Amino acid sequence: MSASGSIGGTARREPHTPESTIGRKPDYLHAESTLRSWFLTTDHKRIALLYLASITGFFVIGAVAAGVVRLALIVPNGAIMTNDTYNKAFTIHGVVMVWFFLIPSIPATFGNFLIPLMIGAKDLAFPKLNLTSWYVFMAGALFTLVSVVLGGVDTGWTFYAPLSTAFSNTWVLPALIGVTIVGFSSILTGLNFVVTIHTMRAPGMTWFKLPIFVWAHYATSLIFLLATPVITTALILLIAERAFHIGVFDPAYGGDPVLFQHLFWFYSHPAVYIMVLPGMGVISEIVPAFAQKKLFGYRFVAYASIGLASVTFFVWGHHMFVNGQSDLASLVFSALSFAVAVPSAVKVYNWTATIHKGALRLDTPMLYAMGYIGLFVLGGLTGLYLATLAINQHIHATYFVVAHFHYIMVGGTVLAFLGGLHFWWPKFTGRMYSEPWGRVSALLIFLGFNVTFFPQFILGYLGMPRRYATYPAEFQLLNVLSSAGATILAAGYLFPMLYLVYSLWFGRKAPANPWNAKGLEWETSSPPPTHNFLSPPEVPRIPYDYPIQAQESRDQHG
Amino acid sequence: MSERLADGVGVARAEHFESVAQQREAATLGIWAWLITELLLFSALFLVALITRIQHPEATVAAAKHLKFWIGATNTVVLICSSLTMSMAIEFSRMGWQRAMVRAMLATAALGGLFLVLKGYEYYADWDEHMMPFLSNRPFALAETPAARLFVNLYYVATLLHALHLFTGIALLLGMTWMAAKAGFLARHQNWIEVYGLYWHFIDLVWILAFPILYVVNR
């Protein structure tokens, strides 16, 4: 296949079968076609698609709930729905988006699909465990959704005690049990990745030839393994307190509510990096491919992934600045929180330096990646405001926080997710999507996102608290603007769902490497055969062996 | 490890692995990673129990004195013995002595069962002494000290979680013993015994941490 003819999608519109696909064995999608072969598969690529379908469903549920919240906030006096309905809507939005979309999104789909391909393995180390983790995930998620059907939960996604254990009379228990079960799925996925990356690398695939995507997933998996058990403990204690009055958090039973926050945030702060690190991995693959340039400072980006994963365990206390922890603790947590900026900035500088003087192509995945970088920088910088003790007193629990974590978690995860989805779509499905529509969707989402969330920074700074169904009338203009942005954002999300599904049947057949990208996953056919490679892949001399090399490496090699 | 295995003892290579050595390495790393997560699951509880002791020493010691020291101590011995029989099972599996291995595994399960019986008796004695603060129909014996109540509650959550692990462990062990008694098992799945052995030792280890933290400190 020629690289030039297949880039961009506008050059050739007619169906085209690449020569490499003629007369070969059926790929993983067509190897078997019964339902049984999908639901009992141990092929990591099929399991990735099972995850992709399920988390897309959860994303839609979470997005509809977000729409309800934004609808309620169009008017200041709460006239559209009752406070109770509003509380349940933002809880569904938070629970579903955080636990069932953002955390599993990139690792469970792209990680599952790509890690074995990228390291030249036939599968993950434990294929049956991989399938088990999907069933565990679905069981837990459906358990939680039962609570929504039966009447909803109004505690917010954080389940703060003692509201969740003693005062809320909604369906908290099934929601808690479901989230606890989903945690085990995370642990199993992380365990599988760690073992796979350690033991299944192809001969010659050393640690410093691994793509950053794999490094990022390695760091993420360490967080899965080291943080998730602690939230499991916290949730088990919540369940024990709510169901059997075994008091641990409720002062009425001799417990300590701040203890819950310690246990909760010891997981839930690292969880932010479970969401963001895999996204950084995706961006680190897309940027060099669309600049046709070696990733700048490869080793630093790899170290920064591990650095972020380490620092994130020591900053949970910044969620408790105004909750009665000691001033010394707050001071230490504030200083440590600033340290997060260092590895984050390393990554952003490296992407920027990679783009600099590259042969830039602004195709859909690259548009998403650049949008990601912009949103991540804004989200990261506002994080410094929140980590500053004095400013935190003013903006704590306001819409400033809401805007900040949406910039990080949605800007950082959803844009990377969509960018990755477009980048690897040809590899997943063997089909190309419509490039013009892809670009429209990327631009709409970037525009809609900023219109939705930027006004919330101002609202928060002016003093609008989060999680309230009503607000003073002078905040209405900015709230209406935010809700209008959410409409644009919803339209932006709708486009990929339509043209990607359309491409499954009518898209042009994809060549093995439509982007002229490097990495072992592009060496095999699109879609790959069942055991990933027909012949053992050849490990490249250096990672990101793109035609354009940075000035530093030219200097080094004379 | 492999050179110590007897003839006819080994592991059948799964399709996606390049070699048996790789497969063994993956299994060992996998179980260690899992055990680390399990340890963290318990360590959050133990840490809270220790902090409660440091912050409220008198109330905690008053509550800890109500725990049945001799039952806990006996159970510690019982679990250490079960670790010994499990180690013997592993050693027999390496030598290919299938019958002896099966017997050692059954002995391990029996000792695990004995632990649960003793633990059950301990809970009964607690109930009898009004040491279950979450039962509204049996007023807590140390009612005026909230920290004692927190400590005792943590004791129940930690020991119930441990008992749940032990119960699961016994069920898995019996299931595996049933499979391991069949001819040809050791030629295909010897590493299952090794991997399971690590899990059993872990259950033992958690109790060895729980016993001093809950029963012994400041006694």
Side-chain angles (χ1 to χ4, degrees):
Chain A
M1 98 230 93
S2 74
S4 59
S6 50
I7 293 169
T10 47
R12 280 202 301 251
R13 304 299 306 159
E14 77 285 0
H16 167 71
T17 309
E19 281 174 25
S20 59
T21 62
I22 295 169
R24 66 150 201 255
K25 281 185 188 173
D27 55 69
Y28 82 101
L29 287 172
H30 300 97
E32 280 180 281
S33 55
T34 57
L35 266 186
R36 187 187 157 82
S37 75
W38 277 92
F39 285 108
L40 294 179
T41 183
T42 52
D43 184 336
H44 65 102
K45 300 184 287 299
R46 283 190 166 205
I47 295 170
L49 295 193
L50 289 177
Y51 266 115
L52 184 61
S54 28
I55 66 163
T56 306
F58 293 127
F59 182 80
V60 172
I61 294 172
V64 168
V68 172
V69 170
R70 279 323 317 171
L71 177 70
L73 292 174
I74 289 176
V75 294
N77 54 4
I80 293 180
M81 62 188 71
T82 61
N83 291 357
D84 196 40
T85 313
Y86 176 83
N87 290 347
K88 285 175 179 170
F90 80 69
T91 303
I92 295 167
H93 169 64
V95 168
V96 170
M97 282 302 199
V98 171
W99 301 107
F100 309 143
F101 177 77
L102 290 172
I103 288 175
S105 59
I106 296 176
T109 54
F110 305 160
N112 247 330
F113 197 102
L114 293 165
I115 287 175
L117 283 168
M118 284 179 166
I119 66 174
K122 285 180 187 164
D123 205 320
L124 288 171
F126 307 118
K128 284 179 196 158
L129 196 68
N130 197 14
L131 180 66
T132 310
S133 80
W134 181 72
Y135 277 102
V136 171
F137 173 70
M138 289 308 286
L142 293 177
F143 217 95
T144 298
L145 289 182
V146 164
S147 70
V148 175
V149 176
L150 290 177
V153 186
D154 64 355
T155 60
W157 74 277
T158 50
F159 301 116
Y160 270 4
L163 169 63
S164 61
T165 60
F167 296 103
S168 171
N169 53 9
T170 52
W171 292 82
V172 179
L173 209 52
L176 284 175
I177 294 171
V179 172
T180 313
I181 295 172
V182 168
F184 285 104
S185 159
S186 298
I187 293 177
L188 296 180
T189 303
L191 187 151
N192 223 338
F193 288 172
V194 166
V195 174
T196 304
I197 295 168
H198 267 279
T199 61
M200 308 283 284
R201 282 173 285 126
M205 180 55 91
T206 58
W207 281 90
F208 284 106
K209 283 185 186 170
L210 290 175
I212 294 297
F213 182 87
V214 178
W215 272 102
H217 275 78
Y218 185 71
T220 308
S221 303
L222 293 181
I223 304 177
F224 271 140
L225 287 177
L226 299 179
T228 317
V230 179
I231 191 79
T232 309
T233 314
L235 292 171
I236 287 174
L237 290 171
L238 271 188
I239 291 167
E241 182 161 309
R242 185 169 177 92
F244 309 111
H245 304 298
I246 299 182
V248 183
F249 304 127
D250 186 350
Y253 300 131
D256 180 355
V258 180
L259 172 63
F260 176 73
Q261 298 187 23
H262 279 293
L263 292 173
F264 180 83
W265 288 113
F266 183 81
Y267 166 82
S268 295
H269 191 81
V272 174
Y273 294 89
I274 292 178
M275 305 171 205
V276 172
L277 271 168
M280 292 172 159
V282 170
I283 301 305
S284 301
E285 301 302 312
I286 294 175
V287 165
F290 289 89
Q292 286 294 302
K293 185 158 168 251
K294 184 177 188 279
L295 184 69
F296 183 89
Y298 164 83
R299 280 191 184 228
F300 280 93
V301 186
Y303 291 140
S305 302
I306 303 295
L308 265 183
S310 316
V311 177
T312 189
F313 280 103
F314 303 104
V315 300
W316 79 88
H318 69 214
H319 295 269
M320 286 174 266
F321 282 161
V322 301
N323 295 20
Q325 73 181 358
S326 76
D327 289 348
L328 177 66
S330 294
L331 206 63
V332 171
F333 280 122
S334 169
L336 286 167
S337 303
F338 273 83
V340 172
V342 177
S344 310
V346 166
K347 297 210 172 218
V348 173
Y349 291 139
N350 283 294
W351 296 324
T352 318
T354 307
I355 292 171
H356 178 67
K357 289 190 177 173
L360 215 56
R361 292 192 317 242
L362 292 178
D363 289 341
T364 311
M366 188 62 170
L367 288 178
Y368 275 111
M370 295 183 83
Y372 168 98
I373 295 172
L375 298 181
F376 180 74
V377 166
L378 198 55
L381 290 176
T382 51
L384 296 176
Y385 286 60
L386 284 161
T388 308
L389 285 175
I391 302 177
N392 187 289
Q393 299 276 328
H394 177 63
I395 51 181
H396 189 89
T398 66
Y399 264 79
F400 192 92
V401 180
V402 176
H404 160 72
F405 72 69
H406 278 85
Y407 266 85
I408 288 287
M409 284 153 55
V410 185
T413 309
V414 178
L415 265 79
F417 179 79
L418 288 168
L421 191 62
H422 287 84
F423 187 50
W424 285 296
W425 187 257
K427 189 53 68 185
F428 292 174
T429 64
R431 299 282 183 164
M432 301 299 292
Y433 52 84
S434 155
E435 182 61 30
W437 283 114
R439 291 180 191 188
V440 168
S441 78
L443 294 174
L444 263 185
I445 287 175
F446 187 75
L447 177 75
F449 184 92
N450 281 297
V451 177
T452 308
F453 293 105
F454 199 84
Q456 298 185 4
F457 280 125
I458 306 168
L459 279 171
Y461 195 78
L462 294 175
M464 179 170 160
R466 63 190 287 205
R467 294 186 169 173
Y468 275 51
T470 58
Y471 54 85
E474 66 258 34
F475 294 147
Q476 188 173 14
L477 179 65
L478 286 167
N479 270 299
V480 169
L481 190 60
S482 180
S483 297
T487 318
I488 303 174
L489 196 54
Y493 289 144
L494 205 58
F495 278 111
M497 291 190 190
L498 297 176
Y499 65 76
L500 287 178
V501 171
Y502 176 86
S503 81
L504 287 177
W505 284 274
F506 306 106
R508 158 173 86 77
K509 287 253 167 71
N513 188 356
W515 317 115
N516 204 14
K518 305 292 177 183
L520 291 187
E521 81 268 30
W522 304 107
E523 306 259 306
T524 187
S525 51
S526 300
T530 299
H531 278 304
N532 293 352
F533 299 98
L534 293 175
S535 55
E538 197 178 322
V539 176
R541 185 173 54 88
I542 53 167
Y544 301 97
D545 195 6
Y546 283 100
I548 308 174
Q549 305 286 313
Q551 190 64 44
E552 40 150 16
S553 82
R554 274 207 297 273
D555 292 344
Q556 273 170 17
H557 299 295
Chain B
M1 177 201 294
S2 55
E3 70 270 23
R4 290 173 58 200
L5 296 178
D7 289 343
V9 176
V11 179
R13 183 175 66 82
E15 199 182 2
H16 61 291
F17 288 108
E18 298 296 333
S19 67
V20 170
Q22 189 186 36
Q23 189 172 352
R24 277 181 178 280
E25 197 189 340
T28 312
L29 187 61
I31 189 71
W32 275 108
W34 174 252
L35 294 184
I36 287 170
T37 69
E38 289 272 41
L39 190 62
L40 286 164
L41 184 72
F42 283 98
S43 59
L45 292 170
F46 293 158
L47 196 64
V48 177
L50 279 174
I51 290 171
T52 308
R53 256 188 205 279
I54 292 164
Q55 290 186 333
H56 308 282
E58 284 169 23
T60 311
V61 170
K65 281 190 175 152
H66 277 267
L67 302 185
K68 316 297 172 284
F69 176 82
W70 284 108
I71 298 181
T74 313
N75 263 343
T76 310
V77 176
V78 168
L79 271 195
I80 289 174
C81 290
S82 77
S83 262
L84 176 71
T85 53
M86 193 64 224
S87 297
M88 286 161 69
I90 293 171
E91 207 52 48
F92 291 142
S93 79
R94 289 176 184 165
M95 293 190 287
W97 297 4
Q98 198 172 10
R99 239 177 128 80
M101 177 192 78
V102 167
R103 282 177 185 168
M105 286 162 80
L106 289 174
T108 309
L111 286 165
L114 179 61
F115 179 100
L116 288 179
V117 169
L118 286 170
K119 193 80 220 162
Y121 177 73
E122 191 180 352
Y123 285 147
Y124 168 76
D126 290 338
W127 177 82
D128 202 36
E129 283 178 29
H130 289 241
M131 284 304 288
M132 291 188 165
F134 45 89
L135 294 181
S136 50
N137 56 338
R138 296 187 74 79
F140 182 44
L142 305 172
E144 69 283 6
T145 51
R149 188 175 176 156
L150 174 59
F151 177 81
V152 173
N153 280 333
L154 285 168
Y155 156 79
Y156 284 113
V157 176
T159 52
L160 277 171
L161 198 60
H162 177 260
L164 187 67
H165 276 78
L166 195 54
F167 183 80
T168 318
I170 293 170
L172 285 173
L173 182 60
L174 290 176
M176 205 167 66
T177 311
W178 184 68
M179 282 190 280
K182 292 179 180 168
F185 175 86
L186 280 180
R188 284 178 286 118
H189 299 304
Q190 190 271 335
N191 69 331
W192 288 14
I193 310 284
E194 307 252 357
V195 165
Y196 182 80
L198 286 170
Y199 180 71
W200 189 269
H201 294 321
F202 167 79
I203 295 175
D204 183 14
L205 172 80
V206 167
W207 181 256
I208 287 173
L209 288 173
F211 179 61
I213 291 171
L214 298 171
Y215 290 75
V216 183
V217 180
N218 298 346
R219 199 172 180 88

